[in-house]
Amino acid sequence: MFWLNFLLYVLLVFIFISFVKTTLSKIFNIEREKRSFFSYNHINQLHKKIDWYIRISSAIVIIITQYFIIYQSHSIYVFLVTATLFAVLDYSIRALFEWKYSQNPKQSILIISEMLILITVIAIVIQLDLLNIVSQ
């Protein structure tokens, strides 16, 4: 049942993010960029270096966090907060590079809106315990 709820929430969030991005694109007259689904889409070499540093750092920190959760009996919220902080860092860096170095700086509005939606959804899921994480 957990995975069914999880997939339902992910699908709803994906639909909501798509709706918000489409609406903001029309309001602010932002051209949608064609991007591959799981591509990196770096703006320049500096962005690529910073992005890889963040990815490697987050992988190491998440592994350490998993150790603390499994062997030191820390709360699962430690993992959720850590993952959320790295997601915010990643989105912020991407928005900054879109705004400063991209040919379409308005694209950063869409990136920031997506980040805010994800943070809000994660906060709601944690606060309301929608996935029944605490009881497991």
Side-chain angles (χ1 to χ4, degrees), residues 1 46 56 80 118 124:
M1 194 66 178
L46 179 62
I56 292 169
L80 293 175
L118 287 176
I124 290 170

Side-chain angles (χ1 to χ4, degrees), residues 61-104:
V61 170
I62 286 176
I63 290 170
I64 293 169
T65 305
Q66 290 295 326
Y67 168 79
F68 283 120
I69 291 170
I70 294 170
Y71 295 111
Q72 302 294 324
S73 300
H74 283 77
S75 173
I76 189 73
Y77 293 122
V78 174
F79 170 75
L80 293 175
V81 169
T82 303
T84 303
L85 289 175
F86 275 108
V88 167
L89 182 63
D90 183 46
Y91 275 100
S92 299
I93 295 295
R94 191 167 12 138
L96 177 73
F97 275 91
E98 282 284 347
W99 177 58
K100 287 193 124 190
Y101 302 109
S102 175
Q103 295 173 354
N104 190 5

